[in-house]
């Protein structure tokens, strides 16, 4: 069972790392999308969220500063769900469905991360 824990951690950590790197490497596109959602300080929000995602992913992968990394990810995911994937404000059914899926994904990831805070044994940590 320890192997499953390690595999899951690696996949989960890499997911957040890749998402964070995408925020930074696709900065202009992410900034435009963030501006369209009327998020204040869009450029800083994109950079900050990218760094939070990278830090959180690394904390899960390494087992270092897990509490801080996970809490930052939870806050980011909930804010992104509410501010960025506000499906209730869309009229177009396809757009509404897509945003609702993204909203629910973010909430589910935040819930999974909160459960990770209960794990006491971060075996295979640095």
């Amino acid at each position: 069972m320890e192997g499953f824990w390690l595999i899951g951690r690696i996949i989960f950590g890499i997911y957040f790392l890749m998402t964070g790197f995408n925020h930074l490497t696709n900065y202009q596109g992410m900034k435009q999308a963030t501006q369209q959602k009327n998020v204040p300080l869009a450029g800083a929000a994109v950079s900050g969220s990218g760094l939070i995602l990278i830090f959180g992913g690394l904390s899960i992968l390494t087992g270092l500063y897990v509490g801080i990394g996970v809490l930052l990810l939870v806050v980011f995911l909930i804010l992104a769900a509410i501010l960025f994937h506000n499906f209730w404000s869309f009229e177009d059914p396809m757009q509404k469905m897509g945003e609702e899926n993204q909203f629910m994904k973010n909430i589910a990831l935040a819930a999974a991360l909160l459960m990770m805070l209960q794990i006491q044994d971060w075996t295979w940590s640095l």
Side-chain angles (χ1 to χ4, degrees):
M1 291 300 199
E2 227 174 73
F4 291 137
W5 165 238
L6 180 60
I7 292 167
R9 261 179 67 188
I10 290 168
I11 293 169
F12 212 48
I14 288 173
Y15 169 79
F16 288 110
L17 277 176
M18 289 178 65
T19 305
F21 283 122
N22 182 54
H23 274 64
L24 300 178
T25 58
N26 188 19
Y27 176 79
Q28 288 303 324
M30 295 293 290
K31 182 179 173 187
Q32 271 185 333
T34 304
Q35 287 170 330
Q36 288 176 347
K37 293 289 187 165
N38 297 317
V39 174
L41 301 168
V46 169
S47 296
S49 62
L51 294 174
I52 286 170
L53 289 161
I54 290 169
F55 177 77
L58 286 173
S59 73
I60 292 167
L61 281 172
T62 64
L64 299 172
Y65 307 107
V66 175
I68 296 168
V70 166
L71 287 175
L72 285 171
L73 288 172
V74 168
V75 169
F76 163 75
L77 288 165
I78 291 171
L79 286 174
I82 293 168
L83 297 174
F84 211 81
H85 301 297
N86 51 340
F87 66 92
W88 52 87
S89 67
F90 289 88
E91 296 294 323
D92 177 55
M94 292 302 290
Q95 214 175 6
K96 185 176 195 135
M97 182 176 63
E99 291 298 333
E100 186 173 7
N101 286 338
Q102 292 299 315
F103 179 92
M104 294 306 294
K105 175 206 57 155
N106 280 13
I107 298 301
L109 285 170
L113 286 162
L114 287 172
M115 289 186 283
M116 288 184 92
L117 287 176
Q118 291 300 304
I119 296 168
Q120 300 299 314
D121 181 16
W122 281 78
T123 305
W124 300 91
S125 296
L126 289 179

